[in-house]
Amino acid sequence: MASALAQQLQQLSAAQGPQEKYVKGKASLLFDYQKAADVSAETLLGIAQQGLEALAKADKRFAPFPESLFSRASLTISRDQLTKEENAQLNSSVKAFLHVLTNHFLAPAAFQALEYCIRRYQVHVYNVPDLLLCCLPYHATPEFARVVALLQLKGSAWEWLAPCQQSGAPVPRPLLVRRCVNDQAVLREVCRGAQALGQPGFVSKTF
């Protein structure tokens, strides 16, 4: 019996062909998937701090974030080990940062800072709505497409962007408008972003 089962498994394995080798990698805006796995969090923090310094020169609203999101203490943060309250506080800081970043999304410094947020805080997993609203005004740009390619969209109002992840193409305005007209969940998200970015302290030039 055991030998017969082993023979069947061997035949099945042969029919399926050799298994693909596991490819180690990390989600990244600045590096390709495999190269990103070799870049340390310390290196990414240095890159992010340089980017944040440039952003702060252009917009004083970035002043709180070197301490709240980009300090050396952040290197020890693991979202899986944070309490509910700690995660809520982190989400609040991330949201505030992304709101301010909206006006500067196309600046190279923005991707320097976002790279660290993706690696350290997994914002492409845990903060998808806020990250999308940050870059949505630039939906027709390659930079938008690069961010969308990393997002975990399943179960969100933005799941319809999945084909863009495969194609790597940005979203033309007529497509976005048509989606807002036909999908109330998407329209609500856009309105939520416009309302949030219109609050005092988060004035946006794009919404």
Side-chain angles (χ1 to χ4, degrees):
M1 173 78 78
S3 61
L5 178 59
Q7 185 177 9
Q8 290 175 357
L9 290 174
Q10 186 176 10
Q11 291 172 346
L12 179 60
S13 178
Q16 291 177 332
Q19 293 184 351
E20 293 184 6
K21 295 176 69 175
Y22 172 74
V23 179
K24 180 182 178 183
K26 294 281 187 180
S28 175
L29 290 172
L30 300 181
F31 308 97
D32 66 48
Y33 182 73
Q34 289 178 265
K35 172 65 176 175
D38 297 325
V39 181
S40 69
E42 290 86 352
T43 298
L44 293 182
L45 177 59
I47 293 172
Q49 288 173 333
Q50 291 176 3
L52 196 62
E53 183 178 354
L55 290 169
K57 289 179 180 177
D59 191 331
K60 64 182 181 180
R61 293 178 298 166
F62 285 104
F65 302 116
E67 181 177 349
S68 62
L69 292 176
F70 299 96
S71 68
R72 288 200 61 82
S74 67
L75 290 169
T76 64
I77 291 177
S78 174
R79 294 203 70 154
D80 295 337
Q81 297 176 3
L82 296 180
T83 65
K84 183 178 180 180
E85 291 73 18
E86 289 170 334
N87 260 310
Q89 184 176 359
L90 177 57
N91 284 333
S92 178
S93 295
V94 167
K95 178 184 288 189
F97 172 70
L98 292 175
H99 282 180
V100 178
L101 192 66
T102 299
N103 286 348
H104 309 274
F105 177 74
L106 294 182
F111 270 32
Q112 290 179 279
L114 279 177
E115 180 76 7
Y116 186 73
C117 291
I118 288 169
R119 171 72 70 87
R120 188 78 273 155
Y121 304 121
Q122 301 179 65
V123 295
H124 62 302
V125 177
Y126 294 104
N127 304 94
V128 171
D130 291 315
L131 181 52
L132 252 172
L133 289 174
C134 170
C135 59
L136 188 62
Y138 311 93
H139 58 84
T141 68
E143 288 83 357
F144 175 82
R146 285 167 64 188
V147 171
V148 169
L150 304 181
L151 302 181
Q152 290 195 11
L153 298 173
K154 189 171 183 180
S156 74
W158 303 100
E159 193 169 353
W160 61 278
L161 289 173
C164 299
Q165 292 182 310
Q166 300 299 320
S167 67
V171 178
R173 182 179 180 85
L175 176 59
L176 179 59
V177 171
R178 187 161 61 249
R179 193 73 196 193
C180 288
V181 170
N182 297 324
D183 190 333
Q184 290 296 307
V186 174
L187 180 60
R188 281 194 297 270
E189 282 295 292
V190 173
C191 291
R192 180 180 71 84
Q195 183 178 21
L197 292 172
Q199 296 296 317
F202 295 117
V203 179
S204 174
K205 300 175 183 177
T206 52
F207 269 89

